[in-house]
Amino acid sequence: MLIVLAGTIGAGKSSLAAALGEHLGTEVFYEAVDNNPVLDLYYKDPKKYAFLLQIFFLNKRFKSIKEAYKEDNNILDRSIFEDELFLTINYKNGNVTETELNIYKELLENMLEELEGMPKKRPDLLIYIDVSFEKMLERIKKRGREFEQIADNPELYNYYKQVHGEYPEWYENYNASPKIKISGDEFDFIENPEDLQTIFDMVDSQLRELDLLD
């Protein structure tokens, strides 16, 4: 099976991906954040680095999804299917031009066509972590990445609000695979083992319905 996680910044994708990987006994492919040479620059100057950042992410996620497709079972903590959302936000904010947006969309389309030749043509399941804006900010603060902190850059508040507001529509329009929604406010799968087990049960049930789990 191939499972992809989705959700806004700070939703807990990496934490849940790690837990699911252990639960299902499979490898996890993580978003390229810690070794990303562009991310910090983007937060300091989005107009200059937005397009470069999204090309960097697109390249890394394309590599990850190709590697994941070649194996029997894998989990991605963010996938290529969310990428256009972030570049579109940057376009709305004037950080990329219409020409850059169109070039990016054409490149993404070409990459997705390449996936048609892989053993799997799409993920088996998308797990969307839905969190409130308050919970999103709480988790961003708690994980402590300096370049993400509103205290250091108050302008990030409006950006985070915008990103959070875009996700519900993105999830509703996502149709590349079966999908389920998990409430990151209702279930504290990071700190509460009982809540995490509830999530495991929900995912296992969905995988059985898809004939992917005995």
Side-chain angles (χ1 to χ4, degrees), residues 178-195:
K179 59 186 179 181
I180 59 172
K181 182 190 295 187
I182 292 171
S183 172
D185 285 26
E186 181 180 356
F187 300 107
D188 185 1
F189 52 81
I190 296 177
E191 301 288 345
N192 189 324
E194 292 183 359
D195 284 355

Side-chain angles (χ1 to χ4, degrees), residues 102-198:
N102 290 335
I103 290 172
Y104 179 91
K105 286 182 175 181
E106 184 177 352
L107 177 60
L108 176 60
E109 184 178 346
N110 287 337
M111 286 180 165
L112 292 175
E113 286 178 359
E114 288 297 312
L115 295 181
E116 291 295 313
M118 300 296 291
K120 286 180 178 289
K121 294 181 174 59
R122 60 178 177 80
D124 294 299
L125 179 66
L126 176 131
I127 301 171
Y128 172 62
I129 306 172
D130 184 32
V131 295
S132 65
F133 183 59
E134 292 73 21
K135 179 63 69 174
M136 172 185 173
L137 295 183
E138 175 188 318
R139 289 184 174 165
I140 289 172
K141 183 177 181 180
K142 189 172 183 178
R143 71 185 181 188
R145 291 175 185 156
E146 184 176 347
F147 57 82
E148 292 182 337
Q149 301 309 308
I150 293 175
D152 299 323
N153 185 359
E155 294 181 1
L156 287 175
Y157 181 90
N158 290 333
Y159 172 68
Y160 290 154
K161 190 75 173 178
Q162 183 182 23
V163 171
H164 184 269
E166 294 280 350
Y167 260 93
E169 183 177 358
W170 175 86
Y171 175 72
E172 292 303 318
N173 291 334
Y174 174 85
N175 59 8
S177 72
K179 59 186 179 181
I180 59 172
K181 182 190 295 187
I182 292 171
S183 172
D185 285 26
E186 181 180 356
F187 300 107
D188 185 1
F189 52 81
I190 296 177
E191 301 288 345
N192 189 324
E194 292 183 359
D195 284 355
L196 180 58
Q197 185 58 53
T198 300

Side-chain angles (χ1 to χ4, degrees), residues 28-79:
V28 179
F29 292 82
Y30 294 99
E31 183 177 24
V33 173
D34 293 335
N35 297 316
N36 186 329
V38 188
L39 192 56
D40 187 28
L41 297 172
Y42 166 76
Y43 276 93
K44 292 175 181 176
D45 191 348
K47 284 188 178 296
K48 185 174 182 180
Y49 292 103
F51 186 71
L52 178 60
L53 176 65
Q54 291 310 131
I55 292 295
F56 176 90
F57 274 132
L58 184 63
N59 181 48
K60 294 296 184 181
R61 288 172 186 153
F62 186 59
K63 180 180 179 181
S64 291
I65 203 167
K66 285 195 301 179
E67 291 175 353
Y69 275 164
K70 291 177 182 177
E71 303 298 332
D72 289 336
N73 297 297
N74 280 305
I75 297 171
L76 294 128
D77 79 330
R78 192 192 288 279
S79 75

Side-chain angles (χ1 to χ4, degrees), residues 38 63 89 91 94 101 115 195 207 212:
V38 188
K63 180 180 179 181
I89 289 173
Y91 171 68
L101 179 64
L115 295 181
D195 284 355
L207 292 175
L212 295 170

